[in-house]
């Protein structure tokens, strides 16, 4: 199975030729346990989305569930998560929703190209673009560097992704204790997990993969992976185990 990955905090870590983190570790465990081979590679997030859309990627992981992605693949939820508004403490003012952000006319917002937190998020980005207040970057570290330099005031991202990226890149590690996280009305809890391509996989493979990842989620394998890699304070407000009673 072709599984291109993008650097995603401690969820997907790249150091030279070594790929590690929550999800590569899970895929390695599942490969050994289920006798299913996953071919990993690293690409920018925007290219990863394009590859999945074109059927060049069999699996998209991790991925927040959205209507657009539902049209492209079959989804298995692994955790619940939400994005939040992130800023450097000394630059913040209370913000409740997207409207409050738009009213701060001089502020710039940086996000990762290819990240998707739903239709309200996408509509908000379009509005920011019209106002020339949006910066699109290739990865979370690039966003962190903009916040550090003052070229951007905020980002919208899952705190675990952003904090994990800051922790492992020495250019921005000094930001770790200066970050503030604010929930916004439009960025509600949603499902994050894995998508299987409707274009590149046949029905038999789809069924096998869905069964494998359902078992992994029900056994707590995913949540345990996050607990190994992330500090508790970064998990409590933005990530929680999926509801296995559904």
């Amino acid at each position: 199975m072709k599984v291109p990955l993008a650097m995603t905090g401690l969820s997907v870590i790249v150091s030279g030729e070594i790929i590690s983190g929550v999800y590569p570790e899970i895929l390695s465990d599942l490969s050994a346990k289920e006798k299913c081979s996953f071919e990993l590679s690293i690409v920018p997030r925007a290219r990863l989305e394009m590859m999945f859309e074109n059927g060049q990627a069999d699996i998209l992981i991790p991925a927040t569930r959205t209507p657009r992605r539902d049209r492209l693949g079959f989804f298995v939820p692994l955790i619940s998560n939400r994005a939040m508004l992130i800023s450097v403490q000394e630059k913040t003012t209370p913000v409740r929703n997207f409207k409050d952000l738009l009213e701060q006319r001089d502020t710039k917002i940086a996000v990762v190209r290819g990240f998707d937190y739903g239709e309200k998020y996408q509509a908000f980005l379009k509005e920011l673009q019209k106002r020339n207040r949006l910066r699109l970057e290739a990865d979370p570290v690039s966003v962190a560097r903009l916040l550090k330099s003052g070229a951007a005031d905020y980002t919208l991202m899952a705190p675990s992704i952003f904090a994990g990226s800051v922790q492992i890149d020495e250019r921005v590690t000094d930001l770790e204790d200066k970050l503030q996280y604010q929930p916004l009305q439009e960025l509600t809890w949603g499902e994050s997990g894995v998508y299987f391509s409707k274009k590149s996989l046949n029905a038999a493979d789809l069924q096998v993969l869905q069964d494998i990842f359902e078992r992994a989620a029900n056994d707590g394998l995913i949540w345990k992976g996050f607990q190994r890699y992330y500090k508790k304070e970064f998990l409590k407000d933005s990530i929680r185990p999926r509801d296995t009673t559904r």
Side-chain angles (χ1 to χ4, degrees):
M1 302 292 167
K2 295 179 181 177
V3 190
L5 300 167
M7 289 189 294
T8 313
L10 299 177
S11 295
V12 180
I13 305 167
V14 180
S15 179
E17 298 296 318
I18 301 173
I19 304 173
S20 59
V22 177
Y23 287 102
E25 183 178 291
I26 288 166
L27 291 169
S28 177
D29 289 347
L30 291 177
S31 181
K33 183 179 178 182
E34 304 285 352
K35 302 297 186 284
C36 184
S37 177
F38 299 107
E39 182 183 325
L40 308 186
S41 60
I42 295 297
V43 299
R45 184 71 198 194
R47 188 187 304 169
L48 171 54
E49 294 281 342
M50 189 179 300
M51 290 174 71
F52 187 71
E53 185 172 344
N54 295 335
Q56 297 172 301
D58 298 321
I59 294 175
L60 180 66
I61 188 172
T64 299
R65 187 170 198 176
T66 67
R68 184 186 69 83
R69 289 172 178 162
D70 281 344
R71 293 190 291 271
L72 302 172
F74 292 97
F75 181 74
V76 171
L78 302 177
I79 56 168
S80 295
N81 77 341
R82 66 172 172 178
M84 300 178 79
L85 181 71
I86 305 173
S87 57
V88 176
Q89 284 179 343
E90 56 262 40
K91 295 183 180 179
T92 62
T93 55
V95 179
R96 298 162 298 172
N97 49 42
F98 289 160
K99 180 175 178 290
D100 287 348
L101 278 175
L102 290 175
E103 288 175 352
Q104 294 185 21
R105 298 182 181 180
D106 295 328
T107 60
K108 301 275 188 181
I109 297 174
V111 301
V112 175
R113 190 189 303 272
F115 277 14
D116 191 346
Y117 296 106
E119 293 176 344
K120 289 181 180 179
Y121 170 85
Q122 293 295 342
F124 179 59
L125 296 194
K126 288 180 182 177
E127 187 60 36
L128 288 173
Q129 279 186 313
K130 289 179 186 176
R131 302 179 186 214
N132 196 32
R133 291 175 51 193
L134 180 67
R135 294 286 302 268
L136 292 168
E137 296 296 324
D139 54 64
V141 170
S142 298
V143 171
R145 294 181 73 184
L146 289 181
L147 262 64
K148 181 176 179 177
S149 69
D153 302 280
Y154 299 102
T155 185
L156 298 168
M157 200 180 304
S160 56
I161 292 175
F162 193 75
S165 300
V166 166
Q167 279 182 261
I168 60 178
D169 194 298
E170 61 183 14
R171 293 171 295 181
V172 289
T173 50
D174 57 331
L175 285 183
E176 186 175 356
D177 297 326
K178 300 177 183 178
L179 298 173
Q180 180 168 307
Y181 305 91
Q182 299 178 70
L184 297 184
Q185 291 173 1
E186 296 89 347
L187 296 176
T188 56
W189 285 93
E191 294 176 318
S192 178
V194 55
Y195 275 97
F196 308 115
S197 174
K198 292 179 180 179
K199 249 183 192 180
S200 64
L201 297 171
N202 59 44
D205 286 340
L206 286 169
Q207 188 59 60
V208 169
L209 287 167
Q210 288 181 67
D211 290 345
I212 287 173
F213 281 87
E214 282 283 358
R215 285 196 297 273
N218 289 335
D219 291 344
L221 180 64
I222 316 302
W223 182 239
K224 290 173 185 174
F226 275 92
Q227 290 177 310
R228 278 195 300 274
Y229 275 89
Y230 284 97
K231 297 178 181 178
K232 290 181 180 178
E233 56 265 35
F234 296 137
L235 297 179
K236 66 178 182 177
D237 292 324
S238 66
I239 296 180
R240 59 193 183 195
R242 79 166 193 174
D243 180 6
T244 57
T245 63
R246 62 189 181 84

